[in-house]
Amino acid sequence: MTVDPGRAGEQRRNLAAALKDLRRASGLSGERLAARCSMSQSKISRIETGKILPSVADVQQVINALGVDDGLARELLDLASVANAEYEDVRASVRRGLHLRQRELAALENGADHIRYFLPAMPSGLLQTPEYMRTAMSPPVDPVDGDVSQTITLKIERQAILYDESKRFDFLLTESAVRWKLCAPSVMAVQLDRIASVSRLPNVNVGIIPLSAQVADVPFHTFTVYGTKLVTIELFTGRVVLRDPKDIDHYGRLFDFFHAASPSEGDVRALLEQWSDDFRRSPH
């Protein structure tokens, strides 16, 4: 089976239909299948009608209860893996409007109590200054064709959520992400000051993996873990969304592994202040 996250919506419908057909072919009622799977009958019904997306573990329980042969079981589990992933092309986001992308991110942030950001390439929008944002949104390759000023306004509005003490935010950056000279030295200095300032909020933790740290793995890409609901992975050309609990758990453990390489918050702020001073002393 070809794994194509771009067809996740279609795969979800196919998965729901396949599970319903198999249950009917077995002669089991939804209630009897639910009992065999240790699920509620209403959950089985919502899975079969496509109202909820079953995890890979849910599908495994159903196929075990139905006695599905190994070949078909592998196909259904592959289908469940694809159905629990989405891919959004960055060009599609631009066509729909960059402001809508900001509203989608705000909805994700509002819907989670604990968010973990792994940032090996650059600071998250929640940590950026307006000047840094503008440069980040004006890449020389495939420049953004949209209302950049409106998007910056919405990004700044999103930052207000950091002051909601009912939520917890963990940001983990690499030294490269913090010190990459995306902007003029004066702008970079203020950007580092911004990160240090946010790190003082009581519900925010900022970690940095220094280049001097020995870490037995490689930070391949940016990802964000939204509570226990989903993970987003950022690519040059788009974004992958994962919803399977096993994937979410994996990225949570990956975050914790990398976070162990970060010094204490006090030491992190000292590094940020040192690097900010370095930028201020840099020739313009």
Side-chain angles (χ1 to χ4, degrees), residues 181 183-186 277-284:
K181 199 182 296 183
C183 310
S186 59
D277 289 343
D278 290 344
F279 276 121
R280 285 190 169 86
R281 288 192 293 266
S282 296
H284 289 272

Side-chain angles (χ1 to χ4, degrees), residues 24-160:
R24 285 179 169 176
S26 72
L28 289 177
S29 65
E31 186 175 4
R32 288 182 61 195
L33 176 61
R36 289 190 182 186
C37 296
S38 299
M39 295 181 188
S40 67
Q41 191 277 329
S42 61
K43 181 174 181 178
I44 292 293
S45 176
R46 292 197 300 273
I47 288 173
E48 291 184 351
T49 56
K51 291 181 179 177
I52 64 170
L53 174 64
S55 68
V56 175
D58 290 334
V59 174
Q60 182 70 68
Q61 285 181 270
V62 171
I63 61 180
N64 287 346
L66 293 174
V68 174
D69 66 74
D70 290 345
L72 181 55
R74 281 194 296 272
E75 286 192 29
L76 289 171
L77 291 172
D78 285 346
L79 192 59
S81 294
V82 177
N84 276 275
E86 290 179 5
Y87 175 75
E88 182 179 276
D89 190 299
V90 68
R91 296 173 186 84
S93 292
V94 172
R95 286 195 299 271
R96 290 187 299 110
L98 293 174
H99 62 290
L100 293 178
R101 167 71 171 140
Q102 293 306 308
R103 298 194 192 286
E104 289 169 359
L105 289 171
L108 288 174
E109 290 154 359
N110 281 311
D113 294 329
H114 182 200
I115 311 176
R116 288 171 285 180
Y117 302 83
F118 182 63
L119 307 162
M122 68 187 302
S124 160
L126 293 181
L127 298 176
Q128 295 175 7
T129 65
E131 295 84 355
Y132 189 95
M133 289 178 191
R134 187 169 296 279
T135 302
M137 294 184 64
S138 305
V141 178
D142 291 333
V144 172
D145 182 17
D147 191 338
V148 172
S149 295
Q150 181 187 18
T151 303
I152 289 174
T153 299
L154 292 172
K155 279 192 172 189
I156 294 170
E157 289 176 2
R158 277 178 51 218
Q159 293 177 351

